[in-house]
Amino acid sequence: LQSTYSEDSFEHARLVRHQQLEQLVDFLREATDDTSGGASGPQRFWPLVLCGTLNFNGRKGPMEGTHSAEYCVVTDLLRDRLGEVRDLLYDVVGSHPVTYADTRLAASGELPVERVLTNSSVYDSPSLKRQCLDYMFFFPQRQDQDGHRAGGSRGSEPEAVVPATCQVERFLVDRTKDVGAPVTQLSDHYGVEATLAVIPVMSSPAGQAQQGSGEEVEETHEQIRGDARPWEGFSAAPMGSIATGLAEEGEEMVPDPSPGDSPQARSPAAGPEEAADREAEAVSEEQASSTGAPE
């Protein structure tokens, strides 16, 4: 939005910002309409994040981080047109932190933190230095007339997106590593960093089916991973004890012969041809006994 470059242009810049903000809100209402242009006008159900350098000072004064008059006007407009609004940075810090034209106290008095990217004249004006111009506004998901949120969840269930953290990121330049850097920070504004937690909606039948299928897939993956690691579960025991344990479970084991084994102990299992020969010999002996000489 329109920036304020001097104290004399403050009122004009404020009016321009307000007009731009109304245009921005109209665009957001149209772009986030989830009702396909219903008779009641655009309605948003899903969460919305509005962030950036909005150029209105949220601080009441250089050393006072409470709400300014313009901040209250802006948030009232956002709330009336877009629904519940949360200032994530203010909610975490408890005040509006400085994001532009920051200063520090030294023995010689108040000194600018950044001298290259920021116009030096702003430090001479109490209304232009130590401003909060950068924001992270969060608009929670809304309910329809039947009390459902986006995705079919009931209003009593957890929200799909929940803000977790928010803080100022100064993006300072480490001159011990970047020797000769012409700047001390990457921008004349501090950045705003936030973390949002996304919570899957599992209340609807489709969501429950998806959750069930997900559990089945995970169980299958665990089974595959288990089959792919057959060595897991075995202790460092001698091969003889492992062979004995498998034999007790009914599996036939043919251990490698050792020099001390007897021929009977190390006889291999009969192959298909040898088994057929033994069967033929048994049949021949049976026929011979049945056709023996008479007494």
Side-chain angles (χ1 to χ4, degrees):
L1 303 180
Q2 176 65 45
S3 178
T4 301
Y5 296 104
S6 66
E7 293 182 352
D8 296 336
S9 64
F10 173 79
E11 186 61 24
H12 174 73
R14 186 187 65 81
L15 294 175
V16 173
R17 277 195 298 271
H18 190 78
Q19 295 174 355
Q20 293 174 333
L21 185 63
E22 289 184 334
Q23 295 176 2
L24 175 61
V25 169
D26 290 340
F27 167 77
L28 291 176
R29 283 173 55 86
E30 180 180 356
T32 61
D33 180 21
D34 296 317
T35 60
S36 300
S40 59
Q43 292 291 329
R44 174 188 58 84
F45 297 145
W46 292 102
L48 173 66
V49 175
L50 173 62
C51 58
T53 301
L54 301 183
N55 280 326
F56 61 87
N57 186 14
R59 296 170 61 86
K60 197 171 185 178
M63 306 303 295
E64 188 174 357
T66 56
H67 298 333
S68 66
E70 186 175 4
Y71 177 88
C72 295
V73 171
V74 170
T75 52
D76 286 345
L77 174 62
L78 295 177
R79 188 177 297 107
D80 292 342
R81 302 290 301 279
L82 297 175
E84 179 187 353
V85 57
R86 304 174 189 171
D87 185 341
L88 301 186
L89 190 57
Y90 181 87
D91 290 347
V92 172
V93 178
S95 64
H96 295 289
V98 175
T99 65
Y100 174 75
D102 199 3
T103 61
R104 59 184 177 86
L105 292 178
S108 57
E110 187 180 17
L111 300 177
V113 171
E114 201 282 320
R115 298 173 179 270
V116 179
L117 303 175
T118 308
N119 191 333
S120 60
S121 63
V122 301
Y123 294 107
D124 299 328
S125 171
S127 61
L128 297 180
K129 67 180 179 181
R130 297 183 58 82
Q131 297 187 77
C132 179
L133 305 179
D134 304 85
Y135 301 91
M136 184 84 68
F137 288 118
F138 175 74
F139 303 83
Q141 60 189 109
R142 307 178 71 177
Q143 300 180 16
D144 59 16
Q145 296 179 352
D146 298 327
H148 291 85
R149 288 198 180 107
S153 63
R154 298 292 300 180
S156 59
E157 297 180 358
E159 298 180 2
V161 179
V162 178
T165 63
C166 190
Q167 62 184 6
V168 171
E169 175 56 65
R170 290 177 170 81
F171 292 108
L172 301 179
V173 176
D174 187 353
R175 291 192 172 184
T176 61
K177 298 180 180 179
D178 192 357
V179 180
V183 295
T184 57
Q185 58 194 50
L186 299 183
S187 173
D188 56 340
H189 289 249
Y190 294 152
V192 179
E193 177 184 0
T195 301
L196 305 177
V198 179
I199 302 176
V201 178
M202 293 297 182
S203 60
S204 61
Q208 294 176 356
Q210 181 179 2
Q211 182 180 18
S213 62
E215 293 175 352
E216 294 175 359
V217 170
E218 180 63 25
E219 183 179 356
T220 304
H221 288 175
E222 289 292 339
Q223 182 178 1
I224 294 175
R225 287 194 291 267
D227 295 342
R229 298 192 297 268
W231 58 84
E232 290 190 359
F234 282 96
S235 60
M239 282 301 299
S241 62
I242 296 178
T244 303
L246 292 176
E248 291 177 354
E249 295 178 3
E251 295 187 26
E252 183 180 0
M253 293 295 297
V254 185
D256 293 333
S258 60
D261 290 339
S262 62
Q264 293 82 1
R266 63 174 181 265
S267 297
E273 296 180 356
E274 184 177 352
D277 293 341
R278 290 181 180 180
E279 183 177 357
E281 291 177 1
V283 172
S284 299
E285 291 177 359
E286 183 180 358
Q287 291 178 352
S289 61
S290 61
T291 58
E295 298 179 355

